[in-house]
Amino acid sequence: MASVQIVDELRAANARFRSLLAIGLDLSSEPDPIRLLRRAGAAARHLFGAADVTIGVIDLNDGTVQYLLSGVADGAGGADRITTGAAVPAIFRPVVAGRRTLRGDTRSGDSAGWQWPVPHPALRTFLAAPIASPAAVYGWMCLVGREDATFADDDEPLLAALSAQVGRMYEKLALLAAARQRSDEIEHEILERQQAELTARHERDRAQRCLDVAQVILLSLDLDGRITLINRCGCELLGWTERELLGRDFLDTCLPARTRVALRHRFHHVLDGDGAAVETPVLTRSGGELLVEWRNTLLRDDAGRVIGTFSSGTDITARHRAVEALRTAEERMRFALQNANVGVWDMNYRTGTLRWSETVEAQYGVPPGTFAGTIEAFVARVHPDDRAGVRETFRKAAESGADFSFHHRSIWPDGTVRWLSGAGRVQLGDHGEPVRGVGTSVDDTERRALEEQYLQSQKMEAIALLAGGVAHDFNNLLTEILGHCELLLADLDPDDTRQADISEIQKAGARAAGLTRQLMAFSRKEAIEPTVLDLNVVVGGIREMLGRLIGDDVSVALKLGPELARIKADHGQVEQVLMNLAVNARDAMPRGGTLRIETANVNLDGRETMTGPVAPGPYVALTVADTGTGMTAPVQARLFEPFFTTKGPVQGTGLGLATVDGIVRRSGGGIDVCSEIGRGTSFTVYFPQSLDAVTAIIAPPPIVPPPIRIQTVLVVDDAAALCELTRRLLQRLGYAVLVAATGDEALRVFAENAAIDVLLTDVVMPGTSGPELTRRLVEQRPTLKVIYMSGYTEDVISQHGVIGSGIAFLHKPFTSATLGGKIREVMGQC
């Protein structure tokens, strides 16, 4: 705004100066005095911005008013001419008699004392000067000011100069003047011209002061882009002096090289009349850059030809940096909110307009940009059961202005339900009315699901711990059952009819032991022990358990490939893969169906499976297929995500297939899935073939020969019946046996018997544990052999440090053969 004001002042000063010169030319060439007066009046009105101009001319003979011209600036033909010979009005007498200018303002009081001529226009503010030459006063010129405007001090000398021009006109027209008078007039005319030049110089100096105090760059260029004018601010910003810059090419001197070609084209557009504002980088003398906003106008000569440009430039470097910093901060905030899935809403209570960010629209299932923007449209997207609570929350916030939080469900057009939470704040007006509300919204659906799944997993963990404890007690019972069956069979004659019954009991106990081992495989957290396996044997061994697990309404069909290659994996984990896939298949067949399990040797060229890429080579494929409901493509895409499940919260945790994925990945394999709605699902697991020729095969227990010499075994177990059974089994094998129910009792027995060769101890016992007992006894006799036995799961046993290489371990239930074999193993007699 300051630069525009300065430009306007410069233009006004130039116009006044040109008008003054033009009047001088008119006075020297116009033969008609009345027409000259009117033209002079019009120029004066334009020059000073007056509302009207009156010119009075007096008769030099008697000093009366010869004529008075009013409205001269409007081009009137002289209707206001007065030739009555009236006296000079009192207000103008000081002007005429004193040959001086006079300024006045009649707005503050009664102006009747001024004694205006009757046809004279009403004066509010005025400026009058004598129309005089050095020789005589010919009249006066009076400027009538516009409403609410005043004349400045600088206007008086300028009007005096103009009035002098009118006076010289009369002297030029005086045909009766003598040659001496004409010579004097010429001399006075020169003096007046000098005065006019001084006035013009004063105007130029005033304009230069305006240029220098301006806080923007003021720059004038000629048609070639050379600098013809620059103010002090421009010099200071650019680092040059005015003398160094005048005449230089501005574009080559003060613009970065990379922009010169484009901005020279822009300069030509400005010369063609393009006055749009433009932002350009400007190069300082020190090499720094400023960003300047330019506003341009054209400079023209008296003939209207374009002679250059005049521009005002504002340094917007700091503003631009601030805007960029704000934009960067906003982008960072927007990025953070979007990546955190945090939506923002803004409520205008006065207009009832509610605005949502795209994230909030997505949380309510609304396509971007389609939200209706009202509180009712928002409530309509809330689950019907939560709407009353949402309305009450927002009502209380609008009344109190307090911060608030909310939790509710949104319901999408397709019926999808999402859990949302957020916070808000309502701004109240001066009278306590709600004005504006702002807040955030977060989709909590996944977090709530994870919390529920975590609770479910804790329940599963508790069940696993319970299963481990039950398995321990059950293994102790099975050890007793199987041991006593073994004792009975050994005591009965071969032709005793009870042999068959006891054998059946023994077989049932063995099957129960196998079932217990499988249950423990699911509940324990054991270290992986890969062995070379025949997948057909693993499938065959779990066949009966699968039948009991999936129910009678689902038939199991096996198709096991011949000459199947071996794989290297943990036996229990392979069983777990089979069980998890079978359970999923059963759940997909609520009305019954067929579970098909197949094995085959395959060669893969290297491919991308559902669980990731697999290397090329030979694999063993395990296929588990069902005839159930099938799955959609979106469900298949998320099958192996932890905690993802399509079952209800009571039926599944979403951990089964994630566990399968982890087991298969650790083995170096992959999983493929093929499913079709209504036609079932097929899982194909690829295990890498093992090059190891030795297969882990469960062989029948060997017949254990009696020891070469009688060896003494100390049996320690808090289960009295099991301890007694173990004693009897060992005695039948030819060992001397000592028993103890606790660790403390075992220490006493050991101290009393120096011939103990082997310590057979339970791991977990009240008081002194098996490992602690071992440590104390081995300190006394380093050559003592130790065998640990337990019915607990291996994750419990491992906590006591007895699982690992070099440690003899006997898992319950055991037989006399496995018991004797383990003792011979530790004694180095195998």
Side-chain angles (χ1 to χ4, degrees):
M1 293 300 293
S3 61
V4 173
Q5 181 179 355
I6 292 171
V7 170
D8 291 340
E9 290 180 357
L10 287 174
R11 289 175 175 171
N14 289 333
R16 298 169 87 181
F17 180 73
R18 287 196 300 268
S19 297
L20 193 61
L21 296 177
I23 292 171
L25 295 175
D26 289 341
L27 293 175
S28 62
S29 61
E30 181 59 53
D32 184 1
I34 299 302
R35 191 161 53 246
L36 283 176
L37 288 175
R38 291 192 175 279
R39 290 178 63 183
R45 180 184 179 188
H46 173 73
L47 182 62
F48 295 95
D52 202 352
V53 179
T54 61
I55 297 176
V57 180
I58 62 176
D59 190 339
L60 295 180
N61 295 322
D62 57 10
T64 59
V65 178
Q66 187 176 7
Y67 48 83
L68 176 66
L69 298 179
S70 176
V72 295
D74 299 326
D80 294 333
R81 178 186 294 184
I82 302 172
T83 57
T84 60
V88 175
I91 191 172
F92 296 127
R93 290 173 187 169
V95 177
V96 174
R99 299 173 67 95
R100 64 183 180 85
T101 59
L102 178 66
R103 281 190 299 158
D105 189 341
T106 67
R107 292 173 296 178
S108 60
D110 187 8
S111 61
W114 293 105
Q115 300 180 8
W116 305 111
V118 174
H120 199 286
L123 298 182
R124 293 169 296 276
T125 60
F126 67 92
L127 174 62
I131 299 176
S133 70
V137 177
Y138 300 102
W140 72 88
M141 180 181 294
C142 179
L143 302 179
V144 180
R146 298 183 183 276
E147 187 174 356
D148 297 328
T150 60
F151 293 102
D153 293 342
D154 294 338
D155 294 334
E156 290 189 46
L158 196 60
L159 181 60
L162 180 58
S163 299
Q165 300 294 332
V166 179
R168 289 194 300 275
M169 173 199 66
Y170 273 90
E171 288 195 341
K172 287 182 180 181
L173 296 178
L175 299 176
L176 301 176
R180 181 176 54 80
Q181 290 176 333
R182 292 180 62 86
S183 177
D184 290 341
E185 288 176 2
I186 293 173
E187 183 179 351
H188 286 294
E189 183 179 348
I190 293 173
L191 293 174
E192 289 177 357
R193 284 184 179 274
Q194 291 174 345
Q195 183 63 36
E197 290 174 359
L198 289 174
T199 301
R201 189 179 300 114
H202 174 74
E203 290 294 327
R204 288 196 298 270
D205 292 343
R206 182 167 176 260
Q208 187 63 46
R209 288 194 300 271
C210 292
L211 290 173
D212 290 339
V213 300
Q215 296 301 307
V216 296
I217 302 173
L218 297 178
L219 175 70
S220 181
L221 305 179
D222 64 13
L223 296 177
D224 296 324
R226 290 188 296 269
I227 301 172
T228 59
L229 178 147
I230 188 168
N231 68 338
R232 182 181 302 167
C233 178
C235 293
E236 291 174 351
L237 287 176
L238 297 177
W240 300 81
T241 66
E242 182 182 10
R243 180 176 299 178
E244 290 171 331
L245 286 175
L246 290 177
R248 282 179 175 265
D249 187 302
F250 175 75
L251 283 77
D252 290 340
T253 304
C254 300
L255 295 183
R258 68 181 186 276
T259 65
R260 288 172 189 165
V261 174
L263 291 180
R264 194 168 291 278
H265 286 300
R266 175 64 186 168
F267 177 65
H268 291 304
H269 287 314
V270 173
L271 292 175
D272 290 338
D274 186 353
V278 61
E279 295 179 4
T280 65
V282 173
L283 190 66
T284 66
R285 189 172 191 174
S286 62
E289 284 192 13
L290 303 174
L291 187 64
V292 177
E293 181 183 60
W294 297 100
R295 297 187 180 276
N296 308 298
T297 187
L298 296 177
L299 294 178
R300 301 178 184 271
D301 60 13
D302 292 340
R305 293 185 296 267
V306 176
I307 59 174
T309 62
F310 184 82
S311 305
S312 64
T314 304
D315 182 3
I316 60 171
T317 308
R319 185 183 73 188
H320 177 74
R321 290 173 181 168
V323 170
E324 286 299 315
L326 179 60
R327 183 181 296 112
T328 300
E330 289 177 347
E331 287 297 326
R332 288 174 179 170
M333 180 63 70
R334 185 178 298 108
F335 177 78
L337 290 175
Q338 289 177 348
N339 279 272
N341 198 29
V342 177
V344 180
W345 55 267
D346 191 331
M347 175 69 185
N348 187 327
Y349 281 90
R350 290 174 175 169
T351 63
T353 302
L354 176 61
R355 292 190 300 170
W356 280 355
S357 67
E358 290 187 3
T359 302
V360 178
E361 289 180 323
Q363 292 171 356
Y364 286 86
V366 178
T370 62
F371 177 58
T374 64
I375 191 69
E376 293 304 323
F378 155 57
V379 173
R381 295 289 181 180
V382 176
H383 193 281
D385 295 343
D386 300 339
R387 288 174 185 171
V390 168
R391 287 185 183 275
E392 182 65 13
T393 298
F394 276 81
R395 184 191 64 78
K396 290 181 178 179
E399 290 179 353
S400 65
D403 293 353
F404 65 95
S405 60
F406 60 86
H407 302 275
H408 64 265
R409 291 165 291 177
S410 68
I411 184 165
W412 293 10
D414 62 359
T416 301
V417 175
R418 307 290 294 181
W419 279 97
L420 306 180
S421 67
R425 173 177 297 174
V426 176
Q427 177 185 354
L428 301 181
D430 296 336
H431 303 289
E433 77 282 5
V435 176
R436 183 186 181 195
V438 294
T440 59
S441 177
V442 179
D443 191 327
D444 275 345
T445 306
E446 302 300 332
R447 181 183 62 80
R448 291 176 67 94
L450 287 174
E451 289 177 352
E452 293 176 359
Q453 291 159 357
Y454 174 70
L455 293 175
Q456 183 68 13
S457 67
Q458 287 185 313
K459 294 178 183 178
M460 295 292 291
E461 182 70 18
I463 292 173
L465 293 174
L466 178 62
V470 171
H472 166 263
D473 294 338
F474 196 45
N475 280 329
N476 283 345
L477 295 174
L478 288 174
T479 303
E480 294 182 36
I481 293 171
L482 292 175
H484 285 291
C485 286
E486 187 176 346
L487 293 175
L488 287 172
L489 288 173
D491 291 340
L492 292 176
D493 293 333
D495 57 351
D496 193 313
T497 57
R498 292 172 294 179
Q499 282 269 5
D501 295 334
I502 297 173
S503 295
E504 289 301 319
I505 295 173
Q506 190 178 40
K507 290 178 183 179
R511 288 195 299 271
L515 176 61
T516 305
R517 180 179 59 82
Q518 290 173 342
L519 289 173
M520 291 171 67
F522 290 113
S523 65
R524 68 192 176 191
K525 299 176 181 177
E526 60 180 343
I528 299 175
E529 298 179 6
T531 56
V532 179
L533 301 174
D534 184 338
L535 196 55
N536 285 347
V537 174
V538 177
V539 174
I542 205 173
R543 170 68 179 82
E544 290 187 15
M545 185 177 181
L546 284 177
R548 290 189 296 270
L549 181 66
I550 63 177
D552 296 335
D553 58 346
V554 176
S555 62
V556 180
L558 300 182
K559 184 180 180 182
L560 306 181
E563 299 181 358
L564 196 67
R566 303 300 187 253
I567 65 172
K568 191 169 186 178
D570 182 86
H571 185 277
Q573 288 197 339
V574 174
E575 287 183 340
Q576 189 172 359
V577 168
L578 266 168
M579 293 298 295
N580 284 348
L581 294 178
V583 168
N584 277 354
R586 179 203 63 190
D587 292 341
M589 298 182 288
R591 296 181 176 84
T594 300
L595 173 66
R596 190 178 77 255
I597 302 176
E598 300 179 0
T599 60
N601 294 323
V602 296
N603 279 290
L604 300 180
D605 295 333
R607 56 176 297 180
E608 183 74 25
T609 66
M610 288 282 290
T611 57
V614 294
Y619 288 81
V620 176
L622 169 66
T623 301
V624 178
D626 62 66
T627 57
T629 56
M631 295 178 290
T632 63
V635 171
Q636 293 182 54
R638 302 185 61 189
L639 272 180
F640 300 100
E641 293 182 12
F643 301 114
F644 173 75
T645 179
T646 58
K647 304 173 185 177
V650 178
Q651 294 177 303
T653 64
L655 296 173
L657 289 179
T659 302
V660 170
D661 176 30
I663 293 172
V664 175
R665 282 178 184 268
R666 283 193 293 271
S667 72
I671 308 174
D672 264 339
V673 181
C674 180
S675 183
E676 187 176 348
I677 295 296
R679 303 191 64 178
T681 301
S682 172
F683 286 84
T684 301
V685 180
Y686 299 102
F687 291 103
Q689 294 185 11
S690 174
L691 301 179
D692 196 333
V694 179
T695 305
I697 300 176
I698 301 176
I703 299 175
V704 181
I708 297 174
R709 68 174 179 83
I710 297 177
Q711 298 167 339
T712 303
V713 179
L714 174 58
V715 180
V716 185
D717 199 315
D718 60 311
L722 183 59
C723 193
E724 175 63 20
L725 173 64
T726 304
R727 184 186 66 77
R728 292 178 62 186
L729 291 175
L730 288 173
Q731 286 177 341
R732 283 180 174 272
L733 293 174
Y735 294 96
V737 183
L738 300 172
V739 297
T742 65
D744 294 337
E745 183 181 351
L747 289 171
R748 290 194 300 271
V749 172
F750 188 80
E752 297 170 356
N753 296 273
I756 295 175
D757 299 290
V758 179
L759 170 66
L760 176 61
T761 178
D762 198 4
V763 176
V764 182
M765 297 184 297
T768 303
S769 67
E772 175 62 19
L773 173 64
T774 299
R775 184 186 64 77
R776 296 172 66 176
L777 294 183
V778 170
E779 285 179 353
Q780 300 177 37
R781 190 180 305 166
T783 59
L784 180 68
K785 304 299 181 182
V786 180
I787 300 174
Y788 291 107
M789 59 180 176
S790 181
Y792 278 108
T793 56
E794 292 187 14
D795 62 325
V796 175
I797 302 171
S798 64
Q799 295 175 9
H800 294 269
V802 299
I803 295 295
S805 59
I807 298 177
F809 180 76
L810 184 64
H811 204 289
K812 300 176 183 178
F814 51 80
T815 64
S816 61
T818 56
L819 177 59
K822 183 62 69 173
I823 294 176
R824 290 179 60 81
E825 178 184 333
V826 300
M827 295 299 296
Q829 299 172 351
C830 295

